[in-house]
Amino acid sequence: SRERTRRGSDIGELPAVKDPARRERCRTSLKAFLIEYFPFSTGLSPFSADHERVIGRIQDCVFGGGRFCNAVYRGFAKSTISENACLWAVLYGHRKFGAVFAAESTLATKAIGSMKTELSDNDLLYEDFPEVCHAIRALEGKPQRCASQTYQGERTHVQWTQDTVVFPTIPGSLSSGAIITSRGLTGSILGLRHKAPDGRQLRPDFTIVDDPQ
């Protein structure tokens, strides 16, 4: 019985990446990632020159650091671009701890919910990032399975909470143990950190503040 339980907690073999060329094409291009993997949101309509400038600035921050303030008009899809950009930064291992800060807790819950939906239900992400999405789908929406989930007999340490996702620890994965979170600016945001299984204290290394006013 214990052996059956152990086998039932293991996620099994990871599917192969379906389109390695598509995955590689988007590795250093946030714009391409937004178009290719989100055909019903950021990939639905062609980007304007304003969009391309904003996306380029976010990409520059991911690769080189720095701070930018982007002031854009209503209907710009800034929240969706912000959420999907956070996923890009972490899935490719460009950043280890991505945080989206919203004006208040309700909007923060909406932001992390949107990112969690993409990780669990977006078939394109599942096809090309199985080292992340396969383990998340194996939870079947039941966070209590996180504690016992294993890959090749080792715990994945995946977490799936109300405001945070810790990506599964998978050998060779660029996003192994990475984190995304979303918090409201009116809540407690000082000292935000996460202790990795190896004892390291991780703090956000990429943040987006969405509609702070």
Side-chain angles (χ1 to χ4, degrees):
S1 176
R2 183 178 296 177
E3 178 64 18
R4 285 198 301 271
T5 299
R6 186 191 66 79
R7 290 200 303 268
S9 299
D10 200 273
I11 63 174
E13 290 303 311
L14 299 178
V17 176
K18 182 175 182 179
D19 194 337
R22 175 175 59 190
R23 174 168 166 157
E24 186 59 31
R25 187 165 61 247
C26 299
R27 179 182 301 277
T28 57
S29 174
L30 173 56
K31 176 185 173 182
F33 180 78
L34 295 173
I35 294 171
E36 294 270 12
Y37 289 102
F38 307 95
F40 302 111
S41 59
T42 50
L44 188 61
S45 303
F47 286 126
S48 67
D50 289 336
H51 284 99
E52 295 197 10
R53 280 192 293 271
V54 168
I55 292 167
R57 286 173 177 170
I58 296 173
Q59 179 173 296
D60 288 344
C61 281
V62 170
F63 287 147
R67 299 185 180 98
F68 287 97
C69 180
N70 289 308
V72 295
Y73 38 84
R74 290 185 62 83
F76 192 86
K78 53 188 175 294
S79 296
T80 307
I81 289 173
S82 298
E83 294 156 7
N84 293 348
C86 188
L87 290 175
W88 172 75
V90 174
L91 281 168
Y92 280 104
H94 301 317
R95 294 287 171 166
K96 196 67 175 177
F97 193 155
V100 175
F101 295 102
E104 46 89 19
S105 60
T106 302
L107 294 174
T109 299
K110 184 176 180 180
I112 192 67
S114 175
M115 291 186 282
K116 289 168 72 175
T117 296
E118 297 293 356
L119 290 170
S120 62
D121 297 340
N122 185 319
D123 288 335
L124 294 172
L125 290 180
Y126 179 81
E127 290 171 359
D128 287 358
F129 298 90
E131 71 277 15
V132 174
C133 298
H134 181 68
I136 287 174
R137 287 196 177 188
L139 297 174
E140 296 182 333
K142 300 174 182 177
Q144 61 268 29
R145 291 186 176 180
C146 291
S148 60
Q149 187 185 85
T150 61
Y151 172 65
Q152 296 181 345
E154 299 293 331
R155 286 185 59 199
T156 63
H157 300 284
V158 65
Q159 293 185 27
W160 190 263
T161 70
Q162 184 176 357
D163 58 19
T164 302
V165 176
V166 178
F167 286 31
T169 297
I170 302 291
S173 168
L174 294 173
S175 59
S176 181
I179 305 156
I180 58 171
T181 190
S182 184
R183 302 292 176 88
L185 288 175
T186 56
S188 177
I189 62 175
L190 294 177
L192 188 60
R193 61 183 179 174
H194 174 80
K195 178 170 281 191
D198 61 7
R200 288 177 300 142
Q201 290 280 7
L202 303 178
R203 296 183 182 274
D205 56 2
F206 173 64
T207 62
I208 291 182
V209 182
D210 181 37
D211 264 355
Q213 74 277 19

